[in-house]
């Protein structure tokens, strides 16, 4: 592509990114037009159970029917202040929507500890600690139920609650949703756990537009089947390594770093498509570039689970199932998109098709990059 043309394409991408930043910056009222995942860590024995809940902050404050001053708070200090001020309303909402039982008898939430706020991926999450007191003798069975953020509240849909538990010597994890809202500890087969986390991994990739655009940008620049095989293999190996290490607590990189770098990775690959020659647009750098950015994307995948227990190998089955869901969905996307791109390359509009596809990717990714950079306090 002549110098003037690719320069124009880059300028157009930058302008598009700025326009998107102005037009599509999500307001709090519109930011939950999709879904969310609540996280619960449940530990204890017999009569005493501790629950640590991670719930998306602004969604929690809306669901508790608080004012805009509460759910629009952006700075961590103000979010903590709002959680303190509205402690009773938040506690009432959570204890009505999340329950623990022992031998089919409801446990009472005896105390609620001080709330905290921490980032998870692109959002701030409120961290709530509850202590439940259960009635009954030893040898009973605990049950965990979640109806957090149901469709009826209209803020989100298809909410899942990811539960990690260590109760009475039983360790494991499960996903609760509207169709299956209750977990009876020790009664859920491993096959169901595998399927639940496989679907979660598939959904995370399919609905994670940044990961999909990264794959698309790579495919645009890969002109041969050999390039696709190398790309898919390098990306899979890299993100599997960091995903497992991060999810197991061996590696810990803050989301404030990971998320902007993921956006930057898309920009780099899409720009390579605009600036490169007609042959392989990443050339000899394809393998190291894809592998390096795959490592970063693996950290982003791990953020969807955010399992904090270092060395909790009891959760390995869930992690592998989640990763398998990502891999299968990735292969399906490649199987659909690459043949279509091959057909486009055989037309006279092949060069313009590269520009038409790459410019919007650069524009959207620039918007994401600047949106994800944490603002200084």
């Amino acid at each position: 592509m002549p110098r003037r043309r690719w320069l124009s394409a880059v300028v157009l991408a930058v302008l598009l990114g700025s326009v998107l930043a102005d037009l599509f910056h999500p307001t709090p009222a519109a930011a939950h037009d999709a879904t969310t995942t609540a996280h619960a860590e449940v530990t204890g024995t017999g009569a005493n159970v501790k629950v640590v809940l991670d719930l998306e902050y602004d969604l929690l404050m809306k669901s508790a029917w608080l004012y805009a001053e509460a759910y629009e708070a952006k700075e961590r200090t103000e979010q903590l202040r709002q959680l303190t001020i509205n402690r009773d309303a938040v506690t009432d909402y959570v204890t009505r929507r999340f329950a623990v039982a022992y031998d089919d008898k409801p446990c009472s939430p005896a105390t609620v500890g001080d709330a905290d706020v921490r980032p998870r991926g692109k959002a701030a999450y409120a961290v709530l600690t509850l202590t439940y007191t259960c009635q009954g003798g030893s040898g009973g069975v605990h049950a965990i139920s979640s109806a957090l953020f149901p469709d009826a509240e209209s803020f989100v849909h298809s909410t899942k609650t990811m539960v990690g538990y260590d109760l009475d010597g039983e360790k494991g994890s499960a996903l609760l949703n509207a169709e299956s809202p209750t977990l009876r500890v020790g009664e859920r087969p491993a096959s169901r756990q595998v399927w639940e986390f496989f679907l979660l991994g598939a959904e995370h990739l399919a609905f994670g537009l940044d990961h999909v655009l990264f794959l698309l940008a790579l495919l645009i620049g890969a002109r041969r089947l050999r390039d696709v095989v190398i790309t898919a293999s390098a990306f899979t190996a890299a993100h599997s390594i960091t995903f497992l290490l991060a999810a197991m607590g061996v590696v810990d990189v803050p989301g404030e770093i990971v998320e902007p770098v993921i956006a930057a990775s898309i920009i780099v690959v899409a720009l390579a498509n605009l600036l490169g020659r007609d042959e392989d647009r990443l050339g000899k750098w394809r393998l190291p570039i894809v592998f390096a950015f795959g490592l970063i994307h693996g950290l982003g995948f791990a953020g969807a689970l955010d399992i904090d227990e270092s060395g909790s190998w009891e959760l390995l089955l869930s992690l592998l199932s989640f990763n398998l869901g990502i891999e299968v969905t990735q292969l399906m996307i490649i199987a659909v998109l690459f043949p279509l791109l091959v057909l486009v390359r055989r037309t006279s509009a092949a060069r313009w098709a590269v520009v038409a596809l790459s410019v919007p990717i650069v524009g959207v990714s620039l918007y994401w990059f600047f949106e994800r950079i944490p603002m200084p306090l």
Side-chain angles (χ1 to χ4, degrees):
M1 181 183 293
R3 182 181 180 88
R4 184 175 299 177
R5 288 185 181 178
W6 67 251
L7 182 59
S8 299
V10 173
V11 171
L12 179 60
V14 173
L15 291 175
L16 179 59
S18 64
V19 170
L20 287 169
D22 290 334
L23 294 180
F24 297 106
H25 186 77
T27 62
H32 296 289
D33 194 25
T35 187
T36 188
T37 300
H39 299 256
E41 290 294 329
V42 186
T43 57
T45 56
N48 301 309
V49 175
K50 176 183 175 182
V51 177
V52 179
L53 291 172
D54 280 28
L55 309 173
E56 203 163 342
Y57 171 82
D58 58 338
L59 178 56
L60 171 63
M61 303 307 261
K62 289 178 190 177
S63 298
W65 294 105
L66 299 175
Y67 295 105
E69 180 184 10
Y71 63 72
E72 289 183 352
K74 299 300 181 185
E75 304 299 338
R76 182 174 183 275
T77 302
E78 178 60 18
Q79 290 170 339
L80 289 171
R81 191 178 78 88
Q82 290 295 334
L83 284 168
T84 300
I85 294 172
N86 298 290
R87 177 176 179 142
D88 291 344
V90 169
T91 300
D92 179 66
Y93 175 79
V94 170
T95 54
R96 283 188 293 106
R97 292 292 186 185
F98 189 91
V100 178
Y102 188 60
D103 281 345
D104 297 323
K105 297 178 182 178
C107 302
S108 302
T111 59
V112 179
D114 293 337
D116 196 4
V117 175
R118 67 173 178 177
R120 276 182 177 268
K122 309 174 187 68
Y125 274 66
V127 183
L128 309 175
T129 302
L130 299 87
T131 302
Y132 286 79
T133 301
C134 306
Q135 302 297 324
S138 61
V141 176
H142 286 95
I144 304 164
S145 300
S146 177
L148 291 163
F149 312 135
D151 291 6
E153 290 180 350
S154 74
F155 301 127
V156 291
H157 63 83
S158 307
T159 300
K160 297 178 180 66
T161 300
M162 185 181 301
V163 179
Y165 60 88
D166 183 354
L167 288 168
D168 299 323
E170 292 277 354
K171 294 184 179 182
S173 54
L175 287 175
L176 305 181
N177 54 30
E179 292 74 33
S180 179
T182 301
L183 162 71
R184 290 180 63 83
V185 175
E187 294 185 4
R188 186 167 290 206
S191 59
R192 183 170 179 177
Q193 178 180 335
V194 169
W195 180 243
E196 288 174 344
F197 281 85
F198 176 89
L199 288 179
L200 184 65
E203 291 174 2
H204 183 67
L205 181 65
F207 297 108
L209 188 56
D210 46 3
H211 301 300
V212 173
L213 286 187
F214 181 73
L215 280 175
L216 177 58
L218 287 172
L219 291 174
I220 292 171
R223 301 186 62 84
R224 298 163 295 180
L225 181 59
R226 176 176 175 272
D227 297 334
V228 176
V229 173
I230 292 174
T231 296
S233 300
F235 186 62
T236 296
H239 78 65
S240 295
I241 291 170
T242 47
F243 165 74
L244 291 172
L245 290 177
M248 294 300 295
V250 179
V251 175
D252 184 16
V253 181
E256 298 95 322
I257 296 175
V258 172
E259 294 300 328
V261 175
I262 287 176
S265 73
I266 309 171
I267 296 169
V268 169
V269 177
L271 282 177
N273 295 336
L274 291 172
L275 307 181
R277 300 185 300 273
D278 288 342
E279 57 267 21
D280 183 357
R281 298 176 188 277
L282 291 178
K284 65 180 181 180
W285 296 104
R286 168 170 292 277
L287 187 59
I289 287 175
V290 172
F291 190 85
F293 286 143
L295 294 174
I296 301 298
H297 282 252
L299 298 173
F301 291 140
L305 291 179
D306 200 15
I307 297 169
D308 295 327
E309 299 177 42
S310 178
S312 57
W313 293 106
E314 296 82 4
L315 299 175
L316 183 59
L317 183 62
S318 299
L319 301 180
L320 294 175
S321 302
F322 182 89
N323 197 46
L324 182 61
I326 290 173
E327 306 310 340
V328 171
T329 307
Q330 174 183 299
L331 290 175
M332 292 175 64
I333 291 173
I334 292 173
V336 171
L337 293 180
F338 186 68
L340 294 176
L341 291 171
V342 170
L343 291 176
V344 170
R345 289 195 191 101
R346 293 177 179 176
T347 69
S348 58
R351 290 187 177 183
W352 290 111
V354 170
V355 175
L357 290 171
S358 299
V359 165
I361 292 175
V362 174
V364 171
S365 303
L366 277 171
Y367 163 58
W368 283 337
F369 177 76
F370 289 108
E371 182 198 34
R372 294 175 183 182
I373 295 176
M375 297 299 292
L377 296 178

